[in-house]
Amino acid sequence: MTVTHFGAVLLFAFFTSIVFGITQRSEPKMMIRFGAFCFALFVFGTIAASWGMWLIKH
Amino acid sequence: MSTNPQAAQQMSKADKALLNQKSGVSPAVALFAGWLVPGAGHLLIRKPIRALLLFVSIVAMFSIGIALEGKVYTPNTGDLLDILGFAGDLGSGVLYILARVFDLGHSSVQIAIADYGTKFIVVAGLLNIVSAVDAHSLASGRKLS
């Protein structure tokens, strides 16, 4: 199996956010909101960190 | 005569906690089952949808890690990071046992993408521990619903 770096980020963020949403909140509506928040934080955090590393390199 | 909404809400929370405790499953059993099979703890305390989502998520992460040729840690290598990796992998319960029995994964990282696979496997184990603890909290009534 091969996967792009960004694909790996999306897969990781998706499955991890589901578990975080279910385990860290009590009500279904809040679970979905928290899961979506975690997903966004994972993906955009990774993109931000990637640009940060690019800036350090250059 | 009007009822106090806060008191009604508290009653509802207490009822929920009692309902969880009355599922008839010991918190220790929910914890152990949740560790052994992802989502099993939630299934025992009658949360089938959560159990299914947890099972699919954790098994998918572990499987992707194996498919990416990630490293499956073994005990007693003497390296501190390996010991931590082993502890993380062990969190997957039966998935880790199956991976060892059927010799899945690799003993060392051989391609660049395999490093991601290694992390997927470790994180699947850690997430399984989080979900097992959540099942314990639900069974003991510490988490309401």
Side-chain angles (χ1 to χ4, degrees):
Chain A
M1 178 181 174
T2 55
V3 65
T4 62
H5 296 283
F6 188 63
V9 170
L10 291 179
L11 284 171
F12 184 94
F14 180 70
F15 292 122
T16 307
S17 300
I18 290 174
V19 177
F20 279 179
I22 290 171
T23 57
Q24 304 303 311
R25 292 293 181 269
S26 296
E27 302 301 325
K29 192 178 171 185
M30 293 307 291
M31 287 177 184
I32 294 169
R33 281 183 64 176
F34 188 69
F37 174 70
C38 287
F39 181 81
L41 218 57
F42 272 125
V43 173
F44 292 113
T46 307
I47 293 170
S50 306
W51 276 108
M53 287 188 280
W54 184 85
L55 288 171
I56 291 168
K57 168 90 173 165
H58 295 83
Chain B
M1 184 177 155
S2 62
T3 54
N4 183 354
Q6 272 190 330
Q9 194 181 8
Q10 279 179 347
M11 180 81 84
S12 168
K13 285 179 179 176
D15 285 346
K16 283 179 181 176
L18 199 62
L19 200 66
N20 285 337
Q21 285 172 319
K22 280 189 176 176
S23 62
V25 178
S26 148
V29 171
L31 180 72
F32 181 73
W35 166 74
L36 195 63
V37 180
H42 287 78
L43 193 64
L44 284 176
I45 51 175
R46 295 169 196 162
K47 305 274 185 196
I49 297 173
R50 293 186 203 185
L52 181 68
L53 286 169
L54 290 170
F55 180 81
V56 169
S57 300
I58 292 166
V59 170
M61 280 205 70
F62 193 89
S63 305
I64 291 168
I66 294 292
L68 291 175
E69 301 181 30
K71 177 180 177 178
V72 175
Y73 288 95
T74 53
N76 301 325
T77 58
D79 185 346
L80 181 62
L81 289 177
D82 279 358
I83 294 167
L84 291 172
F86 169 69
D89 280 7
L90 199 60
S92 302
V94 76
L95 295 177
Y96 177 74
I97 296 166
L98 288 174
R100 291 295 306 278
V101 168
F102 293 107
D103 201 22
L104 302 173
H106 286 249
S107 56
S108 62
V109 173
Q110 291 167 354
I111 56 172
I113 204 79
D115 205 29
Y116 287 167
T118 306
K119 270 59 181 180
F120 268 75
I121 294 169
V122 172
V123 171
L126 297 176
L127 290 175
N128 193 39
I129 292 171
V130 170
S131 72
V133 170
D134 185 59
H136 178 275
S137 298
L138 284 165
S140 68
R142 197 154 58 92
K143 187 179 178 188
L144 297 176
S145 64

PDB file of all heavy atoms in Angstrom, chain B residues 82-113:
ATOM      1  N   ASP B  82      11.927   1.686  22.127  1.00  0.00           N
ATOM      2  CA  ASP B  82      11.281   0.435  21.721  1.00  0.00           C
ATOM      3  C   ASP B  82      10.302  -0.046  22.794  1.00  0.00           C
ATOM      4  O   ASP B  82       9.237  -0.582  22.487  1.00  0.00           O
ATOM      5  CB  ASP B  82      12.323  -0.653  21.448  1.00  0.00           C
ATOM      6  CG  ASP B  82      12.936  -0.519  20.059  1.00  0.00           C
ATOM      7  OD1 ASP B  82      12.516   0.397  19.326  1.00  0.00           O
ATOM      8  OD2 ASP B  82      13.825  -1.319  19.722  1.00  0.00           O
ATOM      9  N   ILE B  83      10.700   0.142  24.061  1.00  0.00           N
ATOM     10  CA  ILE B  83       9.821  -0.273  25.162  1.00  0.00           C
ATOM     11  C   ILE B  83       8.534   0.559  25.131  1.00  0.00           C
ATOM     12  O   ILE B  83       7.423   0.032  25.296  1.00  0.00           O
ATOM     13  CB  ILE B  83      10.541  -0.124  26.519  1.00  0.00           C
ATOM     14  CG1 ILE B  83      11.719  -1.117  26.598  1.00  0.00           C
ATOM     15  CG2 ILE B  83       9.583  -0.376  27.678  1.00  0.00           C
ATOM     16  CD1 ILE B  83      12.664  -0.853  27.747  1.00  0.00           C
ATOM     17  N   LEU B  84       8.680   1.872  24.909  1.00  0.00           N
ATOM     18  CA  LEU B  84       7.499   2.738  24.814  1.00  0.00           C
ATOM     19  C   LEU B  84       6.628   2.349  23.621  1.00  0.00           C
ATOM     20  O   LEU B  84       5.402   2.326  23.712  1.00  0.00           O
ATOM     21  CB  LEU B  84       7.924   4.210  24.705  1.00  0.00           C
ATOM     22  CG  LEU B  84       8.543   4.814  25.962  1.00  0.00           C
ATOM     23  CD1 LEU B  84       9.086   6.208  25.661  1.00  0.00           C
ATOM     24  CD2 LEU B  84       7.523   4.884  27.085  1.00  0.00           C
ATOM     25  N   GLY B  85       7.278   2.060  22.503  1.00  0.00           N
ATOM     26  CA  GLY B  85       6.542   1.616  21.316  1.00  0.00           C
ATOM     27  C   GLY B  85       5.801   0.314  21.569  1.00  0.00           C
ATOM     28  O   GLY B  85       4.657   0.147  21.153  1.00  0.00           O
ATOM     29  N   PHE B  86       6.465  -0.596  22.308  1.00  0.00           N
ATOM     30  CA  PHE B  86       5.833  -1.867  22.641  1.00  0.00           C
ATOM     31  C   PHE B  86       4.599  -1.637  23.520  1.00  0.00           C
ATOM     32  O   PHE B  86       3.543  -2.253  23.304  1.00  0.00           O
ATOM     33  CB  PHE B  86       6.835  -2.778  23.357  1.00  0.00           C
ATOM     34  CG  PHE B  86       6.225  -3.996  23.968  1.00  0.00           C
ATOM     35  CD1 PHE B  86       5.721  -5.002  23.158  1.00  0.00           C
ATOM     36  CD2 PHE B  86       6.136  -4.134  25.349  1.00  0.00           C
ATOM     37  CE1 PHE B  86       5.137  -6.133  23.720  1.00  0.00           C
ATOM     38  CE2 PHE B  86       5.550  -5.248  25.912  1.00  0.00           C
ATOM     39  CZ  PHE B  86       5.054  -6.253  25.096  1.00  0.00           C
ATOM     40  N   ALA B  87       4.733  -0.727  24.494  1.00  0.00           N
ATOM     41  CA  ALA B  87       3.594  -0.419  25.380  1.00  0.00           C
ATOM     42  C   ALA B  87       2.423   0.127  24.557  1.00  0.00           C
ATOM     43  O   ALA B  87       1.261  -0.223  24.800  1.00  0.00           O
ATOM     44  CB  ALA B  87       4.014   0.571  26.461  1.00  0.00           C
ATOM     45  N   GLY B  88       2.738   0.986  23.591  1.00  0.00           N
ATOM     46  CA  GLY B  88       1.687   1.533  22.728  1.00  0.00           C
ATOM     47  C   GLY B  88       1.041   0.453  21.881  1.00  0.00           C
ATOM     48  O   GLY B  88      -0.186   0.362  21.796  1.00  0.00           O
ATOM     49  N   ASP B  89       1.865  -0.393  21.278  1.00  0.00           N
ATOM     50  CA  ASP B  89       1.340  -1.485  20.441  1.00  0.00           C
ATOM     51  C   ASP B  89       0.459  -2.436  21.244  1.00  0.00           C
ATOM     52  O   ASP B  89      -0.572  -2.908  20.762  1.00  0.00           O
ATOM     53  CB  ASP B  89       2.495  -2.288  19.831  1.00  0.00           C
ATOM     54  CG  ASP B  89       3.093  -1.607  18.611  1.00  0.00           C
ATOM     55  OD1 ASP B  89       2.702  -0.458  18.329  1.00  0.00           O
ATOM     56  OD2 ASP B  89       3.964  -2.219  17.964  1.00  0.00           O
ATOM     57  N   LEU B  90       0.898  -2.705  22.472  1.00  0.00           N
ATOM     58  CA  LEU B  90       0.174  -3.660  23.321  1.00  0.00           C
ATOM     59  C   LEU B  90      -1.240  -3.175  23.637  1.00  0.00           C
ATOM     60  O   LEU B  90      -2.133  -3.981  23.928  1.00  0.00           O
ATOM     61  CB  LEU B  90       0.963  -3.880  24.618  1.00  0.00           C
ATOM     62  CG  LEU B  90       0.656  -5.134  25.428  1.00  0.00           C
ATOM     63  CD1 LEU B  90       0.925  -6.379  24.598  1.00  0.00           C
ATOM     64  CD2 LEU B  90       1.476  -5.160  26.694  1.00  0.00           C
ATOM     65  N   GLY B  91      -1.438  -1.862  23.560  1.00  0.00           N
ATOM     66  CA  GLY B  91      -2.776  -1.298  23.801  1.00  0.00           C
ATOM     67  C   GLY B  91      -3.823  -1.808  22.835  1.00  0.00           C
ATOM     68  O   GLY B  91      -5.017  -1.752  23.129  1.00  0.00           O
ATOM     69  N   SER B  92      -3.401  -2.325  21.700  1.00  0.00           N
ATOM     70  CA  SER B  92      -4.366  -2.813  20.698  1.00  0.00           C
ATOM     71  C   SER B  92      -4.987  -4.145  21.084  1.00  0.00           C
ATOM     72  O   SER B  92      -5.893  -4.615  20.389  1.00  0.00           O
ATOM     73  CB  SER B  92      -3.685  -2.979  19.337  1.00  0.00           C
ATOM     74  OG  SER B  92      -3.142  -1.769  18.924  1.00  0.00           O
ATOM     75  N   GLY B  93      -4.504  -4.768  22.132  1.00  0.00           N
ATOM     76  CA  GLY B  93      -5.084  -6.021  22.613  1.00  0.00           C
ATOM     77  C   GLY B  93      -4.919  -7.149  21.617  1.00  0.00           C
ATOM     78  O   GLY B  93      -3.804  -7.479  21.202  1.00  0.00           O
ATOM     79  N   VAL B  94      -6.052  -7.706  21.191  1.00  0.00           N
ATOM     80  CA  VAL B  94      -6.008  -8.894  20.333  1.00  0.00           C
ATOM     81  C   VAL B  94      -5.386  -8.587  18.965  1.00  0.00           C
ATOM     82  O   VAL B  94      -4.803  -9.480  18.332  1.00  0.00           O
ATOM     83  CB  VAL B  94      -7.428  -9.498  20.205  1.00  0.00           C
ATOM     84  CG1 VAL B  94      -8.288  -8.693  19.262  1.00  0.00           C
ATOM     85  CG2 VAL B  94      -7.369 -10.945  19.764  1.00  0.00           C
ATOM     86  N   LEU B  95      -5.469  -7.345  18.529  1.00  0.00           N
ATOM     87  CA  LEU B  95      -4.867  -6.987  17.233  1.00  0.00           C
ATOM     88  C   LEU B  95      -3.353  -7.176  17.287  1.00  0.00           C
ATOM     89  O   LEU B  95      -2.741  -7.680  16.342  1.00  0.00           O
ATOM     90  CB  LEU B  95      -5.203  -5.540  16.869  1.00  0.00           C
ATOM     91  CG  LEU B  95      -6.664  -5.205  16.622  1.00  0.00           C
ATOM     92  CD1 LEU B  95      -6.833  -3.717  16.353  1.00  0.00           C
ATOM     93  CD2 LEU B  95      -7.197  -6.007  15.444  1.00  0.00           C
ATOM     94  N   TYR B  96      -2.751  -6.762  18.401  1.00  0.00           N
ATOM     95  CA  TYR B  96      -1.306  -6.929  18.550  1.00  0.00           C
ATOM     96  C   TYR B  96      -0.935  -8.415  18.609  1.00  0.00           C
ATOM     97  O   TYR B  96       0.041  -8.845  17.977  1.00  0.00           O
ATOM     98  CB  TYR B  96      -0.816  -6.209  19.811  1.00  0.00           C
ATOM     99  CG  TYR B  96       0.666  -6.412  20.059  1.00  0.00           C
ATOM    100  CD1 TYR B  96       1.612  -5.752  19.284  1.00  0.00           C
ATOM    101  CD2 TYR B  96       1.113  -7.285  21.039  1.00  0.00           C
ATOM    102  CE1 TYR B  96       2.961  -5.947  19.479  1.00  0.00           C
ATOM    103  CE2 TYR B  96       2.472  -7.485  21.249  1.00  0.00           C
ATOM    104  CZ  TYR B  96       3.390  -6.816  20.472  1.00  0.00           C
ATOM    105  OH  TYR B  96       4.732  -7.017  20.668  1.00  0.00           O
ATOM    106  N   ILE B  97      -1.759  -9.165  19.359  1.00  0.00           N
ATOM    107  CA  ILE B  97      -1.490 -10.605  19.479  1.00  0.00           C
ATOM    108  C   ILE B  97      -1.560 -11.267  18.097  1.00  0.00           C
ATOM    109  O   ILE B  97      -0.683 -12.056  17.726  1.00  0.00           O
ATOM    110  CB  ILE B  97      -2.504 -11.256  20.453  1.00  0.00           C
ATOM    111  CG1 ILE B  97      -2.313 -10.675  21.864  1.00  0.00           C
ATOM    112  CG2 ILE B  97      -2.342 -12.777  20.483  1.00  0.00           C
ATOM    113  CD1 ILE B  97      -3.440 -10.964  22.821  1.00  0.00           C
ATOM    114  N   LEU B  98      -2.586 -10.901  17.312  1.00  0.00           N
ATOM    115  CA  LEU B  98      -2.720 -11.466  15.964  1.00  0.00           C
ATOM    116  C   LEU B  98      -1.533 -11.075  15.080  1.00  0.00           C
ATOM    117  O   LEU B  98      -1.024 -11.897  14.305  1.00  0.00           O
ATOM    118  CB  LEU B  98      -4.025 -10.992  15.316  1.00  0.00           C
ATOM    119  CG  LEU B  98      -5.322 -11.591  15.879  1.00  0.00           C
ATOM    120  CD1 LEU B  98      -6.535 -10.923  15.249  1.00  0.00           C
ATOM    121  CD2 LEU B  98      -5.368 -13.097  15.640  1.00  0.00           C
ATOM    122  N   ALA B  99      -1.111  -9.816  15.216  1.00  0.00           N
ATOM    123  CA  ALA B  99       0.023  -9.349  14.406  1.00  0.00           C
ATOM    124  C   ALA B  99       1.286 -10.147  14.726  1.00  0.00           C
ATOM    125  O   ALA B  99       2.057 -10.493  13.821  1.00  0.00           O
ATOM    126  CB  ALA B  99       0.259  -7.857  14.644  1.00  0.00           C
ATOM    127  N   ARG B 100       1.476 -10.465  16.002  1.00  0.00           N
ATOM    128  CA  ARG B 100       2.662 -11.250  16.386  1.00  0.00           C
ATOM    129  C   ARG B 100       2.533 -12.699  15.947  1.00  0.00           C
ATOM    130  O   ARG B 100       3.493 -13.292  15.450  1.00  0.00           O
ATOM    131  CB  ARG B 100       2.873 -11.178  17.900  1.00  0.00           C
ATOM    132  CG  ARG B 100       3.298  -9.809  18.423  1.00  0.00           C
ATOM    133  CD  ARG B 100       4.661  -9.369  17.929  1.00  0.00           C
ATOM    134  NE  ARG B 100       5.699 -10.348  18.202  1.00  0.00           N
ATOM    135  CZ  ARG B 100       6.319 -10.472  19.375  1.00  0.00           C
ATOM    136  NH1 ARG B 100       6.033  -9.635  20.355  1.00  0.00           N
ATOM    137  NH2 ARG B 100       7.249 -11.382  19.552  1.00  0.00           N
ATOM    138  N   VAL B 101       1.315 -13.256  16.144  1.00  0.00           N
ATOM    139  CA  VAL B 101       1.107 -14.671  15.803  1.00  0.00           C
ATOM    140  C   VAL B 101       1.293 -14.894  14.301  1.00  0.00           C
ATOM    141  O   VAL B 101       1.956 -15.852  13.885  1.00  0.00           O
ATOM    142  CB  VAL B 101      -0.297 -15.134  16.257  1.00  0.00           C
ATOM    143  CG1 VAL B 101      -0.648 -16.501  15.651  1.00  0.00           C
ATOM    144  CG2 VAL B 101      -0.376 -15.208  17.777  1.00  0.00           C
ATOM    145  N   PHE B 102       0.707 -14.008  13.499  1.00  0.00           N
ATOM    146  CA  PHE B 102       0.774 -14.181  12.041  1.00  0.00           C
ATOM    147  C   PHE B 102       1.944 -13.434  11.409  1.00  0.00           C
ATOM    148  O   PHE B 102       2.022 -13.307  10.190  1.00  0.00           O
ATOM    149  CB  PHE B 102      -0.552 -13.750  11.402  1.00  0.00           C
ATOM    150  CG  PHE B 102      -1.693 -14.643  11.768  1.00  0.00           C
ATOM    151  CD1 PHE B 102      -2.675 -14.226  12.655  1.00  0.00           C
ATOM    152  CD2 PHE B 102      -1.769 -15.935  11.255  1.00  0.00           C
ATOM    153  CE1 PHE B 102      -3.725 -15.073  13.021  1.00  0.00           C
ATOM    154  CE2 PHE B 102      -2.819 -16.780  11.606  1.00  0.00           C
ATOM    155  CZ  PHE B 102      -3.799 -16.347  12.498  1.00  0.00           C
ATOM    156  N   ASP B 103       2.814 -12.926  12.240  1.00  0.00           N
ATOM    157  CA  ASP B 103       4.042 -12.274  11.771  1.00  0.00           C
ATOM    158  C   ASP B 103       3.737 -11.129  10.800  1.00  0.00           C
ATOM    159  O   ASP B 103       4.383 -11.000   9.749  1.00  0.00           O
ATOM    160  CB  ASP B 103       4.974 -13.311  11.127  1.00  0.00           C
ATOM    161  CG  ASP B 103       6.409 -12.820  11.100  1.00  0.00           C
ATOM    162  OD1 ASP B 103       6.742 -11.933  11.920  1.00  0.00           O
ATOM    163  OD2 ASP B 103       7.196 -13.305  10.272  1.00  0.00           O
ATOM    164  N   LEU B 104       2.747 -10.305  11.158  1.00  0.00           N
ATOM    165  CA  LEU B 104       2.396  -9.159  10.323  1.00  0.00           C
ATOM    166  C   LEU B 104       3.319  -7.989  10.654  1.00  0.00           C
ATOM    167  O   LEU B 104       3.933  -7.949  11.715  1.00  0.00           O
ATOM    168  CB  LEU B 104       0.939  -8.753  10.558  1.00  0.00           C
ATOM    169  CG  LEU B 104      -0.111  -9.836  10.304  1.00  0.00           C
ATOM    170  CD1 LEU B 104      -1.490  -9.360  10.725  1.00  0.00           C
ATOM    171  CD2 LEU B 104      -0.122 -10.220   8.835  1.00  0.00           C
ATOM    172  N   GLY B 105       3.391  -7.035   9.746  1.00  0.00           N
ATOM    173  CA  GLY B 105       4.259  -5.886   9.975  1.00  0.00           C
ATOM    174  C   GLY B 105       5.719  -6.262   9.800  1.00  0.00           C
ATOM    175  O   GLY B 105       6.043  -7.361   9.335  1.00  0.00           O
ATOM    176  N   HIS B 106       6.582  -5.339  10.160  1.00  0.00           N
ATOM    177  CA  HIS B 106       8.017  -5.568   9.991  1.00  0.00           C
ATOM    178  C   HIS B 106       8.737  -5.362  11.314  1.00  0.00           C
ATOM    179  O   HIS B 106       8.236  -4.680  12.203  1.00  0.00           O
ATOM    180  CB  HIS B 106       8.576  -4.607   8.936  1.00  0.00           C
ATOM    181  CG  HIS B 106       8.179  -4.997   7.542  1.00  0.00           C
ATOM    182  ND1 HIS B 106       9.064  -5.474   6.611  1.00  0.00           N
ATOM    183  CD2 HIS B 106       6.975  -4.986   6.924  1.00  0.00           C
ATOM    184  CE1 HIS B 106       8.425  -5.745   5.480  1.00  0.00           C
ATOM    185  NE2 HIS B 106       7.160  -5.433   5.652  1.00  0.00           N
ATOM    186  N   SER B 107       9.903  -5.962  11.428  1.00  0.00           N
ATOM    187  CA  SER B 107      10.666  -5.797  12.666  1.00  0.00           C
ATOM    188  C   SER B 107      11.495  -4.522  12.648  1.00  0.00           C
ATOM    189  O   SER B 107      11.990  -4.081  13.673  1.00  0.00           O
ATOM    190  CB  SER B 107      11.579  -7.006  12.876  1.00  0.00           C
ATOM    191  OG  SER B 107      12.397  -7.170  11.742  1.00  0.00           O
ATOM    192  N   SER B 108      11.658  -3.927  11.454  1.00  0.00           N
ATOM    193  CA  SER B 108      12.349  -2.634  11.368  1.00  0.00           C
ATOM    194  C   SER B 108      11.776  -1.840  10.197  1.00  0.00           C
ATOM    195  O   SER B 108      11.201  -2.416   9.269  1.00  0.00           O
ATOM    196  CB  SER B 108      13.850  -2.849  11.159  1.00  0.00           C
ATOM    197  OG  SER B 108      14.066  -3.515   9.942  1.00  0.00           O
ATOM    198  N   VAL B 109      11.934  -0.520  10.279  1.00  0.00           N
ATOM    199  CA  VAL B 109      11.421   0.354   9.222  1.00  0.00           C
ATOM    200  C   VAL B 109      12.364   0.282   8.024  1.00  0.00           C
ATOM    201  O   VAL B 109      13.557   0.558   8.152  1.00  0.00           O
ATOM    202  CB  VAL B 109      11.301   1.803   9.736  1.00  0.00           C
ATOM    203  CG1 VAL B 109      10.942   2.750   8.606  1.00  0.00           C
ATOM    204  CG2 VAL B 109      10.259   1.883  10.836  1.00  0.00           C
ATOM    205  N   GLN B 110      11.802  -0.128   6.841  1.00  0.00           N
ATOM    206  CA  GLN B 110      12.666  -0.308   5.667  1.00  0.00           C
ATOM    207  C   GLN B 110      12.402   0.708   4.564  1.00  0.00           C
ATOM    208  O   GLN B 110      13.261   0.944   3.719  1.00  0.00           O
ATOM    209  CB  GLN B 110      12.494  -1.738   5.144  1.00  0.00           C
ATOM    210  CG  GLN B 110      13.071  -2.749   6.118  1.00  0.00           C
ATOM    211  CD  GLN B 110      12.655  -4.170   5.814  1.00  0.00           C
ATOM    212  OE1 GLN B 110      11.851  -4.404   4.939  1.00  0.00           O
ATOM    213  NE2 GLN B 110      13.217  -5.112   6.550  1.00  0.00           N
ATOM    214  N   ILE B 111      11.186   1.267   4.527  1.00  0.00           N
ATOM    215  CA  ILE B 111      10.899   2.309   3.535  1.00  0.00           C
ATOM    216  C   ILE B 111      10.379   3.539   4.266  1.00  0.00           C
ATOM    217  O   ILE B 111       9.911   3.427   5.399  1.00  0.00           O
ATOM    218  CB  ILE B 111       9.866   1.833   2.477  1.00  0.00           C
ATOM    219  CG1 ILE B 111       8.584   1.358   3.157  1.00  0.00           C
ATOM    220  CG2 ILE B 111      10.450   0.740   1.599  1.00  0.00           C
ATOM    221  CD1 ILE B 111       7.452   1.049   2.201  1.00  0.00           C
ATOM    222  N   ALA B 112      10.470   4.701   3.599  1.00  0.00           N
ATOM    223  CA  ALA B 112      10.152   5.969   4.276  1.00  0.00           C
ATOM    224  C   ALA B 112       8.715   5.985   4.806  1.00  0.00           C
ATOM    225  O   ALA B 112       8.460   6.403   5.935  1.00  0.00           O
ATOM    226  CB  ALA B 112      10.379   7.120   3.315  1.00  0.00           C
ATOM    227  N   ILE B 113       7.781   5.476   4.009  1.00  0.00           N
ATOM    228  CA  ILE B 113       6.373   5.538   4.398  1.00  0.00           C
ATOM    229  C   ILE B 113       6.067   4.599   5.568  1.00  0.00           C
ATOM    230  O   ILE B 113       5.083   4.765   6.286  1.00  0.00           O
ATOM    231  CB  ILE B 113       5.469   5.230   3.173  1.00  0.00           C
ATOM    232  CG1 ILE B 113       4.070   5.834   3.337  1.00  0.00           C
ATOM    233  CG2 ILE B 113       5.375   3.752   2.917  1.00  0.00           C
ATOM    234  CD1 ILE B 113       4.022   7.288   3.035  1.00  0.00           C
TER     235      ILE B 113
END
